[in-house]
Amino acid sequence: MKLDKQTQSDLFDYLLRLGDDRLILGHRVSEWCGHGPILEEDIALSNIALDLIGQSINFLSLAGKVEGQGRTEDDLAYHRDALDFKNLMLVEQPNGDFGFTMVRQFLFDAYSLLLMEALQASELKELAAIAGKALKEVRYHLRHSSQWVLRLGDGTEESHRRVQNALDDLWMYTREMFESDEVEQRLVQKGIAVDSTSLKSGWESMVFQILKQATLEIPGEQGYYSSGSRQGIHTEHLGYILADMQFLPRAYPDAKW
Amino acid sequence: MEDKKRLEEFEARIQRGEKIEPKDWMPERYRKQLIRMISQHAHSEVVGMLPEGNWITRAPSLRRKLVLLAKVQDEAGHGLYLYSAAETLGVDRQELIEQLLEGKAKYSNIFNYPTLTWADIGVIGWLVDGAAIVNQTMLAKSSYGPYSRAMIRICKEENFHKRQGYEIVATMAKGTPEQKKMVQDAVNRWWWPSLMMFGPHDTDSPNSGELLRWKVKTKTNDELRQRFVNLTVPQAHAVGLTIPDPDLKYNPETGNWEFGEIDWDEFWRVIKGDGPCNRERMRARRKAHEEGAWVREAAAAYAAKHGMKSRVA
Amino acid sequence: MNHKTKAENEATDTQWPLWEVFVQEKQGAPHEHAGSVHAPDAEIALQNARDVYARRGRLLSIWVVPSAAITATTPSDDGPFFDPGNDKIYRHPQFYKVPRGVKMF
């Protein structure tokens, strides 16, 4: 990989975004293990968490190689603090009830599907390959989460109320998925990255269709939208995730596990 | 046909090593014993997800995290296979789960102990899964077809559980002084409960005779326990760990590692509900079940509303 | 048997109906019974079957069938149901002599 200094630094940052989204969401989903609404769903949620963490390993490991300082995926996962995490705020939100988790997953899966599809055309072969592999998994995740949004939205009065609430609570975290910045734009110019703004209309048509079918009301455009996680600004929840996740390697810096 | 004659035929089939299938005639006792045993086994897998699940978010590397998550997921899968095997005997999973949540059903005592450090994850994989594998390898030969088939599948899948556990133990045992302390402490806490997993002495095991005669089990509790100790002691020594039993000694004549007496008071106390985590584990299971009720109901309502091909039942 | 009926259970709570899962592991191979899952409908049954029985290794195809839709023989069918076939030795390939040295398909 021969990259100029600017591209190297941009790409490192971009790969952290991709890796951190999946690491943090995988962490959240893994919290369900043993606590799902039915045994079959425990197994499904574990599969999704395994896929997400697996994807994050691929992106973070490539990030480490691009950076060229010898940092591994574990170094990046366990030895960065909140300001250096670049994941979307959406994925760090606490699980809530099963409906909340499914809505969060659905909103992310639809975005992830479009992004992985587009990244397959990246000029950076390693990145295109990782995206291609992830895409197969994401297709299944989206099938799972959208089927659940349909059932819960159009199930009972209680389930409808719960997922409508979840949707209203999470909506403010959706817009930053489609925000671009200089880092991304420079990589778009080089044919490496995908312009996030280009994903919005595809996402909306996919998401709106399922939400309508699920008899859910799409939240209005007027409300507050969070922004800034790609620059390291997060909600209060990320710190606790990191405290939990990073505890052992931080407490015993010399130990191998 | 007379029941007596049927029973004779049934026992003759078992003697010939034939498998009994769900629709075959079987004595009511056999059916009841199997439902009891298989559902206890299923409950154990499901409750067993809790102590290990406790460390998924804190696994010290991404690889360890994936492995632990996959292992706990397997336990859910194995619970599912076992509930299915029990369902072939004419009970509903719903009913079995209610028995567990109402505190009427037993599950393995071992999961009523807490996981306090990461070393516990290694030691559980090594000792607890090790003990389970010794037991399950025997159950794979069980006379009841669906139970035996579930066990064969489970044994195949659990092969990696013990290895990953021992790998964690071995890594920590040659690690920093803190890690060594952690892993020895975990062995000290889990050793005796692991031996208890094989159940009471044969002489105190009310069901053993019948289960052996009907080949639901093919080895006694004490035989299996001895086999486990013989396999495990050298593994502990190989990585420099001490087994917390002053009476442990090798008998060159029998080839057995002879061990001290289990604290049977503790065993019976924990079985009856008075262990460190009994109440907590049940609370967690009940919470998951109750909080999942609206989800299960919504999906059923959706299926009914949309006339999906589910209402055949 | 002394247990509550399915309907009685579903009045209070539900674990959803039971489905039998058949999987095809290799192209050209038959679908074989892998086990069962609980699911509220066919789509979720397929997803659950995929998650439970394809955790290791790829599967080419999965069938799910409501367990209640399966009709099976009973052990008392054993004689009348299966014996005739056994008698008709001309249905078994071993019935036909092939000259030594000839390789059949």
Side-chain angles (χ1 to χ4, degrees):
Chain A
M1 236 180 298
K2 277 229 176 84
L3 303 166
D4 61 76
K5 273 264 175 281
Q6 182 68 55
T7 309
Q8 187 185 21
S9 140
D10 289 342
L11 184 55
F12 176 66
D13 202 61
Y14 188 70
L15 289 167
L16 289 183
R17 298 173 187 190
L18 289 164
D20 290 348
D21 276 350
R22 285 149 191 85
L23 177 62
I24 300 301
L25 185 58
H27 180 100
R28 280 297 188 214
V29 178
S30 80
E31 291 173 353
W32 273 101
C33 194
H35 308 279
I38 196 162
L39 207 43
E40 280 78 359
E41 202 49 42
D42 253 320
I43 296 169
L45 289 168
S46 306
N47 261 345
I48 293 165
L50 281 166
D51 287 346
L52 288 167
I53 296 168
Q55 292 166 15
S56 83
I57 290 176
N58 292 334
F59 287 119
L60 292 179
S61 146
L62 183 57
K65 276 183 213 141
V66 166
E67 189 195 31
Q69 313 262 328
R71 287 206 278 180
T72 65
E73 63 272 22
D74 279 340
D75 295 328
L76 291 170
Y78 289 92
H79 295 282
R80 279 180 299 145
D81 204 348
L83 286 175
D84 295 319
F85 265 78
K86 302 295 170 67
N87 60 280
L88 296 164
M89 292 186 223
L90 175 73
V91 298
E92 69 201 34
Q93 297 312 303
N95 285 340
D97 62 20
F98 180 75
F100 195 93
T101 293
M102 278 304 115
V103 172
R104 184 187 64 197
Q105 191 69 36
F106 169 64
L107 298 172
F108 179 79
D109 288 343
Y111 158 77
S112 186
L113 180 91
L114 295 169
L115 180 56
M116 293 303 123
E117 257 172 9
L119 274 178
Q120 284 183 296
S122 171
E123 293 288 336
L124 188 69
K125 292 284 170 297
E126 293 95 327
L127 179 54
I130 295 172
K133 187 169 173 290
L135 183 60
K136 288 183 197 149
E137 297 168 346
V138 178
R139 279 213 178 92
Y140 177 72
H141 299 175
L142 180 63
R143 176 170 172 176
H144 177 262
S145 59
S146 52
Q147 289 297 330
W148 270 111
V149 168
L150 285 175
R151 275 156 189 75
L152 298 177
D154 192 17
T156 60
E157 261 176 54
E158 181 184 5
S159 70
H160 179 86
R161 178 177 52 76
R162 283 173 182 262
V163 290
Q164 183 67 58
N165 268 336
L167 189 62
D168 295 344
D169 285 350
L170 287 166
W171 201 251
M172 62 187 276
Y173 303 112
T174 55
R175 189 173 285 171
E176 62 168 355
M177 293 192 276
F178 312 110
E179 288 172 350
S180 191
D181 64 356
E182 287 175 1
V183 169
E184 189 183 277
Q185 283 304 320
R186 282 192 293 267
L187 292 171
V188 170
Q189 294 304 316
K190 299 220 177 269
I192 294 176
V194 173
D195 185 343
S196 294
T197 59
S198 72
L199 302 175
K200 191 169 189 222
S201 66
W203 182 85
E204 282 180 346
S205 70
M206 223 188 305
V207 167
F208 289 180
Q209 191 218 328
I210 295 286
L211 292 180
K212 277 180 196 148
Q213 211 184 321
T215 72
L216 292 163
E217 206 173 304
I218 296 152
E221 291 269 325
Q222 279 75 30
Y224 174 78
Y225 287 92
S226 284
S227 176
S229 63
R230 298 305 194 198
Q231 286 74 43
I233 302 303
H234 292 276
T235 60
E236 293 171 347
H237 307 291
L238 182 64
Y240 293 97
I241 293 179
L242 299 184
D244 204 18
M245 182 172 82
Q246 298 177 338
F247 148 67
L248 274 172
R250 297 270 196 172
Y252 302 96
D254 304 328
K256 286 202 171 60
W257 303 93
Chain B
M1 221 187 315
E2 298 258 324
D3 268 8
K4 190 164 172 267
K5 191 152 170 265
R6 281 176 151 171
L7 182 64
E8 275 168 22
E9 255 176 42
F10 172 83
E11 294 196 335
R13 287 188 63 194
I14 294 211
Q15 281 317 307
R16 289 195 296 272
E18 290 178 26
K19 295 278 184 230
I20 307 301
E21 293 298 335
K23 287 193 161 185
D24 293 350
W25 185 88
M26 61 187 82
E28 206 44 39
R29 266 306 282 172
Y30 179 81
R31 183 189 302 276
K32 285 216 171 99
Q33 287 279 28
L34 274 169
I35 292 175
R36 183 188 60 84
M37 236 178 111
I38 300 173
S39 61
Q40 274 181 19
H41 199 159
H43 299 327
S44 301
E45 296 281 355
V46 172
V47 178
M49 295 171 74
L50 297 170
E52 286 177 282
N54 179 34
W55 280 90
I56 290 172
T57 59
R58 290 178 290 169
S61 74
L62 295 176
R63 177 172 171 259
R64 292 279 185 232
K65 191 188 289 284
L66 286 181
V67 172
L68 180 58
L69 191 47
K71 176 175 189 285
V72 180
Q73 182 196 38
D74 274 347
E75 279 150 22
H78 299 164
L80 195 150
Y81 302 161
L82 287 161
Y83 281 127
S84 300
E87 282 180 295
T88 64
L89 292 157
V91 281
D92 283 343
R93 191 167 89 184
Q94 173 65 27
E95 192 185 348
L96 299 174
I97 289 174
E98 271 166 23
Q99 286 171 4
L100 173 71
L101 299 180
E102 287 164 11
K104 290 183 197 149
K106 292 195 181 99
Y107 56 88
S108 183
N109 256 0
I110 195 85
F111 304 118
N112 290 318
Y113 293 86
T115 49
L116 303 180
T117 71
W118 173 253
D120 290 35
I121 298 307
V123 170
I124 286 182
W126 172 39
L127 295 182
V128 175
D129 287 79
I133 289 166
V134 167
N135 201 28
Q136 287 166 358
T137 309
M138 177 266 298
L139 289 171
K141 298 186 191 106
S142 170
S143 60
Y144 187 56
Y147 195 22
S148 155
R149 288 192 286 276
M151 276 299 123
I152 289 168
R153 199 182 189 110
I154 290 172
C155 286
K156 221 196 271 172
E157 296 188 351
E158 284 198 354
N159 229 334
F160 89 87
H161 292 186
K162 192 183 170 207
R163 281 165 181 273
Q164 67 89 30
Y166 192 62
E167 189 185 276
I168 293 174
V169 167
T171 307
M172 292 184 74
K174 63 176 191 325
T176 65
E178 290 109 324
Q179 285 179 304
K180 283 181 190 159
K181 184 178 152 199
M182 254 186 249
V183 72
Q184 182 62 57
D185 163 73
V187 173
N188 295 349
R189 281 182 290 112
W190 290 95
W191 174 255
W192 290 106
S194 301
L195 295 194
M196 293 178 199
M197 284 176 73
F198 296 95
H201 279 313
D202 301 333
T203 45
D204 301 322
S205 179
N207 297 311
S208 248
E210 204 170 46
L211 294 175
L212 286 165
R213 183 157 52 93
W214 284 337
K215 294 195 181 166
V216 175
K217 292 166 55 163
T218 53
K219 288 202 170 71
T220 71
N221 295 351
D222 287 326
E223 282 173 327
L224 292 169
R225 186 163 21 236
Q226 184 64 60
R227 181 172 158 68
F228 171 73
V229 173
N230 289 350
L231 286 168
T232 311
V233 171
Q235 293 167 354
H237 292 164
V239 291
L241 288 165
T242 310
I243 300 289
D245 179 357
D247 298 327
L248 189 74
K249 61 172 188 296
Y250 186 69
N251 181 334
E253 272 170 40
T254 58
N256 285 333
W257 280 93
E258 293 169 356
F259 52 96
E261 196 54 52
I262 288 168
D263 181 350
W264 293 109
D265 286 343
E266 177 180 331
F267 174 81
W268 293 111
R269 234 180 12 248
V270 180
I271 275 204
K272 288 181 182 121
D274 290 327
C277 297
N278 298 56
R279 298 186 70 85
E280 193 179 337
R281 301 289 183 238
M282 277 307 95
R283 205 160 61 236
R285 284 315 310 160
R286 272 197 296 272
K287 184 166 182 279
H289 186 75
E290 283 161 14
E291 288 179 357
W294 70 272
V295 177
R296 298 190 296 273
E297 197 193 332
Y302 180 89
K305 206 185 291 186
H306 292 265
M308 300 174 90
K309 293 182 280 179
S310 68
R311 293 283 111 182
V312 187
Chain C
M1 261 163 299
N2 179 12
H3 64 269
K4 278 189 268 179
T5 66
K6 215 177 188 94
E8 276 167 336
N9 272 328
E10 279 188 353
T12 49
D13 195 3
T14 174
Q15 285 282 308
W16 302 328
L18 191 64
W19 300 70
E20 298 305 319
V21 179
F22 299 83
V23 301
Q24 186 188 33
E25 288 183 355
K26 276 185 234 139
Q27 204 164 15
H31 283 72
E32 286 181 1
H33 187 238
S36 31
V37 291
H38 286 252
D41 56 59
E43 166 64 19
I44 302 282
L46 270 182
Q47 292 189 16
N48 290 347
R50 179 255 188 205
D51 282 322
V52 174
Y53 296 101
R55 298 203 305 285
R56 293 174 164 73
R58 255 174 71 74
L59 294 175
L60 283 183
S61 145
I62 300 178
W63 294 347
V64 290
V65 185
S67 306
I70 290 181
T71 310
T73 56
T74 61
S76 57
D77 286 331
D78 186 17
F81 220 75
F82 299 114
D83 280 354
N86 238 355
D87 278 355
K88 298 185 176 77
I89 50 169
Y90 47 82
R91 288 191 187 276
H92 299 276
Q94 295 81 354
F95 180 70
Y96 302 93
K97 284 205 183 80
V98 175
R100 202 181 284 273
V102 175
K103 269 206 185 131
M104 291 306 290
F105 314 103

